[in-house]
Amino acid sequence: EMSEMSERSKQNVAHGLAWSYYIGYLKIVLPRLKKSMEEFSRANPNVLACRETWKLHILVPLSCDVYDDLEKADSNIQYLTDLTETTLTRAGTKKRVYKHSLYAIKDEDNKLWHCAVEYATPLQSLYAMSQDECAAFSREDRLEQAKLFYRTLEEILKGSKECAGTYRLIVYEESGEAETHFLSRDILWHLRQQRHEEYAVYEGNQPHNLSTTLSSTELNLQISESDLPQPLRSDCL
């Protein structure tokens, strides 16, 4: 009865995952990120040269295909070091540690660009649900929920004063063809755009629109004819 009520009221996994991700993680770590970046930059002044990129770059693959090791996802992405840890007591766990990893992204000219980057971890749950028969969660459901997760998270973060200017959502769809360095190229596009924006602000000009393989405005994130979230099971009409 509870399951049927949830479906009739159109409750969604994606909404809960997005809010949990924000409340339980991003709202905690993002306001502290700039301080960690500043500390690292003082000790390594040549690494994080562009302040506009002092953000957490959050990868949102709509396939929900999340790699535990970014270096295995793309060999042009290499782990550099970790930023200063944040230690808090949370939900009964003493000294819970939160930290972010810095990576070096190699471009086509072998130049290294540095940034903090990680996947949106709740996407692992969506992927796992699509692999579990008990969840009755199809690949189509997974894609729909991944899009809804992105849209919900984007709206939550846009309304968060604490997190303003501390993140960059990188949403993408992987092409059907195997592209060895697709991910690094997508991250590099975002880093270049941010650097362009920083220079434009410095010069007192508005940044020009740059072309990209995939941006949030170009993604077709339409889930249904209605803006309301849909039930998880595709056979519930």
Side-chain angles (χ1 to χ4, degrees), residues 203-218:
E203 295 171 359
N205 299 321
Q206 291 296 323
H208 299 290
N209 291 326
L210 301 181
S211 61
T212 178
T213 55
L214 201 62
S215 68
S216 61
T217 56
E218 291 174 330

Side-chain angles (χ1 to χ4, degrees), residues 19-29 32 86-98:
W19 273 104
S20 177
Y21 184 47
Y22 169 69
I23 296 294
Y25 180 64
L26 295 181
K27 193 175 181 181
I28 297 170
V29 302
R32 297 170 170 83
T86 296
T87 304
L88 300 171
T89 296
R90 296 279 297 177
T93 300
K94 298 289 186 180
K95 298 181 180 180
R96 177 170 290 182
V97 174
Y98 300 87

Side-chain angles (χ1 to χ4, degrees), residues 49-50 52 111 192-207:
C50 179
E52 190 63 30
K111 175 184 175 182
R192 286 170 173 146
Q193 186 186 50
Q194 290 171 89
R195 175 167 290 189
H196 178 83
E197 290 170 353
E198 181 175 82
Y199 288 154
V201 171
Y202 177 78
E203 295 171 359
N205 299 321
Q206 291 296 323

Side-chain angles (χ1 to χ4, degrees), residues 82-112:
D82 292 329
L83 293 173
T84 305
E85 297 178 351
T86 296
T87 304
L88 300 171
T89 296
R90 296 279 297 177
T93 300
K94 298 289 186 180
K95 298 181 180 180
R96 177 170 290 182
V97 174
Y98 300 87
K99 67 178 181 180
H100 308 289
S101 296
L102 280 180
Y103 287 86
I105 317 296
K106 184 169 65 176
D107 67 14
E108 58 277 5
D109 298 319
N110 290 323
K111 175 184 175 182
L112 296 179

Side-chain angles (χ1 to χ4, degrees), residues 12-168:
N12 277 272
V13 169
H15 276 105
L17 287 176
W19 273 104
S20 177
Y21 184 47
Y22 169 69
I23 296 294
Y25 180 64
L26 295 181
K27 193 175 181 181
I28 297 170
V29 302
L30 289 182
R32 297 170 170 83
L33 183 65
K34 285 289 177 72
K35 182 180 178 181
S36 296
M37 289 285 195
E38 288 173 358
E39 292 175 355
F40 181 85
S41 183
R42 282 196 296 269
N44 306 271
N46 297 324
V47 176
L48 296 174
C50 179
R51 294 182 67 92
E52 190 63 30
T53 62
W54 290 12
K55 301 172 183 176
L56 181 61
H57 296 77
I58 304 171
L59 302 176
V60 185
L62 295 181
S63 66
C64 299
D65 193 4
V66 172
Y67 285 81
D68 290 327
D69 191 341
L70 274 170
E71 294 170 309
K72 292 182 179 179
D74 190 324
S75 60
N76 280 349
I77 304 174
Q78 295 295 318
Y79 169 77
L80 183 63
T81 188
D82 292 329
L83 293 173
T84 305
E85 297 178 351
T86 296
T87 304
L88 300 171
T89 296
R90 296 279 297 177
T93 300
K94 298 289 186 180
K95 298 181 180 180
R96 177 170 290 182
V97 174
Y98 300 87
K99 67 178 181 180
H100 308 289
S101 296
L102 280 180
Y103 287 86
I105 317 296
K106 184 169 65 176
D107 67 14
E108 58 277 5
D109 298 319
N110 290 323
K111 175 184 175 182
L112 296 179
W113 300 64
H114 301 92
C115 68
V117 58
E118 61 189 50
Y119 284 100
T121 52
L123 295 178
Q124 289 180 311
S125 297
L126 289 178
Y127 187 86
M129 288 178 67
S130 69
Q131 303 299 307
D132 193 321
E133 293 182 0
C134 295
F137 200 75
S138 69
R139 290 185 179 182
E140 291 76 17
D141 293 329
R142 184 181 71 196
L143 176 60
E144 183 172 307
Q145 292 298 302
K147 291 178 179 180
L148 182 57
F149 171 83
Y150 168 72
R151 285 175 48 179
T152 305
L153 183 62
E154 185 180 42
E155 289 302 313
I156 293 170
L157 288 171
K158 280 182 178 179
S160 173
K161 294 181 180 179
E162 301 98 321
C163 298
T166 62
Y167 68 92
R168 182 90 170 190

